[in-house]
Every structure is written in C-alpha cells, then in structure tokens.
Amino acid sequence: MLSRPISFALTGLAGAATLIAASAPSPLYPVYQRLWGFSSFTLTVIFAAYVVALLVALLTVGSLSDRIGRRPVASASLVLLTLGMVLFATADSTGALIAARLVQGFAVGAATGTFTAMIIDKAPSARSGSLVSSAVPSLGIAFGAVLAGALVEFAPFPRQLVFWILAVSYLVIAALIWLVPERVRPDSPTARAIWRSLLPSIGLPPATRSIFFALVPSIAATWALGGLYLSLGSSILGTVLGVQSHFTIGLVLGVFFIAGTVGTAISAFLPPRLGTLFGYGTLILGVLITIAALVIAGTPLYIVGSAIAGLGFGATFRLAVGALGEAAPDAERGQVFATMYIVSYIAFSVPALVAGLAVERFGLEPTAVVYGALDVALVVIAIVAGLVRARRQTAGVPDGASASSPQPVSR
C-alpha cells in the first residue's frame, strides 16, 4: 500500500487525468465540423451528450463509493473512460462522436465525486484538500486542451493520437489506484443498501444545506463560463477572432483553465473575505474584458480577459469546495460532492446548449456577448447570496439550522 502523501498525490493526479478527457475533443471540433458538416447547434448537442451521461452517473453511482469503497468505483470508472477514448479514436461520424461522448460522460461522472472525496480523505490538511480538489478540474481541462491542440497541429494521426495516449494512461492509473489504502468504514454495506444507492437521487446532510444553496450561484457562474469555453470556445476563436491554428486554439482555451489553477492556489493563501473578493472580482473583470474583445475583435485582449476570468474561476470554485468539504460528514462526503457536481454540470451544459440554439438565429458574436453578460449577473447574485449568509452567521443562525431548508430526496 502507498503512504498517505503518495496516495494524496496519486489521487490528485488521477482526478486531473479524468478531466483531461473533457477538453481533449475541443480543439478537434472545427475539424469534425469540416469533415461531417454539422451545425453549431449539433456541436453543442455533442457537448451536451457528455453532460447528460455525466449527470446520470452522478445521480446513480455518484455516492456509491461511500457504500462499497473508493477504489472499486475509481478504477472501474477509469476502465470505462478508456473505452470512451477508444470510441473517439475510431469515430467516423457524428453519431459515433455522440456515442463516445456518452461513454466518456458516464465514466467522468462516476469518477468525479469519487476522486474529490478520495483527495479530501487523503489530504494532510483541510486547506490542501480543498486546494487540490478544486484545482483538479481546471488543471486537467487545461492540459487536455493544450495537449490535443498540439497533437492535432504537429503530430501524425491528428484525430486519433491524443485518444490512444489517454486510453493507455487511464489503464495504468486504474491499476495504480488499487495501491491507495481504503478508508475505514464502520460496517459493511448490505446488497440491499448498495442497490438502493443506485436509485437516481440527490441529497445533502443537514449541516451542508444552507451552505450549499448559498454557493449555488457562484458554482453556476464558474461552470457556465467553463461550458462556453469548451463548447463554443473553438468556434469563437476561429470565426469571431480569426484564429486558424489548432494549437493556438488549444493554447487559448488552456490559458483560461491554467489561470484557474493559479487562481485556486492564490485564493488558498488569502484570508477568506479577501479570497472571496479576489474570486468574484477577477471573474467579473475577466468576463467584461472578453466581451469588449469580442466587440472589437481583439485576440490579445481576449486572451488577457480569459486569463483574468480564469483566475476568478479557480478561486471561486475553490471556496465552494473548501466550504462543502469542511461541512460534509466523512461518511457522506461522496454524496455531497456528487450533488455539487450535478449542479456544476447542469450549469456547464444547459446554458451552452441554449447558446448553440441562439447562434443559429442571432450569430456567434452576439450570443457570446449576451452569455458573458448573464454570467456577470450570476456572479452578482452569488455576491448577494454570500452577504445574506454572512449576515445569518453574524446573527448566530448556524448553517443547516433553518427549518425551511429544502430536504434531500431520500435514497
């Protein structure tokens, strides 16, 4: 068995690796569109297929690791993700792309909450746990976009190589996960309890409810912005800003998510109030700059705005993960993070799908500008929700104490 520090590093690496798959197809979308001639709306449907499957996984197996252990769920999800990469590598039509995204989405959904819980379980401290678990999505997505863009531009077999590399990597990590010590559970689950845990449901322990609902606007704002970059980001760069290089497109997408990792790290060392101001402030400023860049067709300004918005993405999401990780009971941590990611991926996909429809009618630039403005409005709502929660805490109302808090759906 691996030591706790090595287990922590491995689970962080594995969590980031699963998110590489989410962005790896993004630089290839313009290639697929040219090959098979589908519209921007079809592109967002392909993107949304991933999220639908991911949500199904979160609703069914999202908290399974709380019942049967982290390792079986993590390893099985990585094997399934390998299959998704093989389907991408052999895809020859729009239907094949959708099938690959469905398999990929279910695998990532099964892995996401599990790896987040594993990272928190093995973290040497609460701060390092929230730092790594919240940095994992942006780091993995950034690496996937840059890697795919580089291989498409410079390597042989541009539509296949990245997926074969990822397939092999996931099999190796799936084997290594079995060397991570399993957390101690108070008792062994019955077969009935395991089957009941697979019924579609979501839930939150009482101690996390008020925190969770106060954080929903900030979670939605960050993930809706990430969804725009990964669904229509390549088209925006190519059509509105005139960027033709696949590597450059992957690099610009990577800038946003790399900055997210930097923002995560910065916020971890700031006092809570300053960290909140840093996250929300950079998110709003960055989105406003990208809107201005789209209006004047300024690619350098768009990159600067993406980097600033990325800082806010990472900092804001880290605050959410940290607050929920501290409030969630150990035995229900997988369920809490699965519920968090359900909200995250709804925000990740639904606005992007609506944007795909809007592009068909209004065009790409107006749609992207309005999308950015709505994201700023979400951040403002998040600020108000945070102020209300702070006022409740000042008044001595503990989190989870409100009798009017929505009840979870029971398994």
Side-chain angles (χ1 to χ4, degrees):
M1 289 293 110
L2 300 176
S3 66
R4 187 184 183 102
I6 295 177
S7 296
F8 178 57
L10 176 61
T11 53
L13 172 66
T18 60
L19 271 299
I20 291 174
S23 59
S26 293
L28 281 161
Y29 285 147
V31 177
Y32 294 138
Q33 281 187 290
R34 284 197 300 271
L35 282 175
W36 302 319
F38 53 78
S39 66
S40 294
F41 177 66
T42 302
L43 172 59
T44 55
V45 169
I46 295 169
F47 174 78
Y50 161 84
V51 182
V52 168
L54 188 148
L55 291 174
V56 170
L58 287 172
L59 286 166
T60 54
V61 300
S63 61
L64 186 60
S65 70
D66 289 336
R67 308 296 198 281
I68 67 172
R70 311 290 190 212
R71 292 184 305 192
V73 178
S75 185
S77 65
L78 288 166
V79 172
L80 186 60
L81 192 53
T82 301
L83 174 60
M85 297 301 97
V86 172
L87 292 175
F88 265 115
T90 57
D92 57 2
S93 66
T94 304
L97 276 183
I98 292 175
R101 288 293 273 176
L102 288 170
V103 173
Q104 177 197 34
F106 192 91
V108 173
T112 298
T114 301
F115 278 120
T116 302
M118 288 182 79
I119 291 167
I120 299 293
D121 289 344
K122 302 303 177 185
S125 67
R127 186 169 74 171
S128 61
S130 67
L131 172 63
V132 172
S133 58
S134 52
V136 153
S138 55
L139 184 62
I141 291 171
F143 186 77
V146 175
L147 174 66
L151 293 179
V152 170
E153 188 75 21
F154 303 117
F157 310 108
R159 289 193 294 117
Q160 294 87 21
L161 185 59
V162 64
F163 300 116
W164 288 121
I165 290 173
L166 290 176
V168 173
S169 301
Y170 291 141
L171 285 178
V172 172
I173 298 171
L176 291 176
I177 284 297
W178 288 96
L179 299 177
V180 175
E182 190 65 87
R183 69 188 182 92
V184 178
R185 299 190 301 279
D187 50 27
S188 298
T190 63
R192 178 181 174 83
I194 293 173
W195 282 109
R196 284 191 65 195
S197 73
L198 298 178
L199 295 174
S201 64
I202 59 175
L204 292 168
T208 65
R209 290 175 200 162
S210 64
I211 298 175
F212 184 87
F213 290 111
L215 291 171
V216 163
S218 63
I219 293 171
T222 53
W223 283 81
L225 190 60
L228 177 66
Y229 273 84
L230 290 186
S231 61
L232 295 174
S234 298
S235 298
I236 290 170
L237 287 163
T239 303
V240 179
L241 299 177
V243 178
Q244 299 303 316
S245 166
H246 298 294
F247 175 65
T248 303
I249 288 174
L251 199 60
V252 174
L253 296 178
V255 162
F256 174 79
F257 292 102
I258 290 170
T261 305
V262 175
T264 299
I266 292 173
S267 69
F269 296 96
L270 295 176
R273 181 170 295 181
L274 186 57
T276 302
L277 290 173
F278 172 77
Y280 290 155
T282 51
L283 196 58
I284 290 175
L285 177 61
V287 172
L288 291 176
I289 291 174
T290 58
I291 290 173
L294 292 174
V295 172
I296 66 172
T299 303
L301 186 63
Y302 184 84
I303 295 172
V304 171
S306 296
I308 295 173
L311 291 173
F313 173 91
T316 302
F317 188 58
R318 190 203 73 82
L319 291 168
V321 172
L324 290 174
E326 290 178 8
D330 291 350
E332 297 173 285
R333 194 168 277 152
Q335 184 183 46
V336 170
F337 285 119
T339 303
M340 179 193 73
Y341 278 112
I342 288 169
V343 172
S344 300
Y345 280 105
I346 288 174
F348 193 61
S349 60
V350 173
L353 191 58
V354 173
L357 279 171
V359 167
E360 298 296 306
R361 181 167 182 178
F362 303 108
L364 192 54
E365 181 185 328
T367 298
V369 169
V370 172
Y371 196 111
L374 292 175
D375 200 73
V376 170
L378 268 177
V379 178
V380 172
I381 294 171
I383 293 171
V384 173
L387 291 173
V388 170
R389 179 173 169 243
R391 184 172 297 176
R392 282 169 52 85
Q393 290 176 326
T394 302
V397 180
D399 287 321
S402 174
S404 61
S405 295
Q407 297 296 312
V409 178
S410 175
R411 288 192 182 273

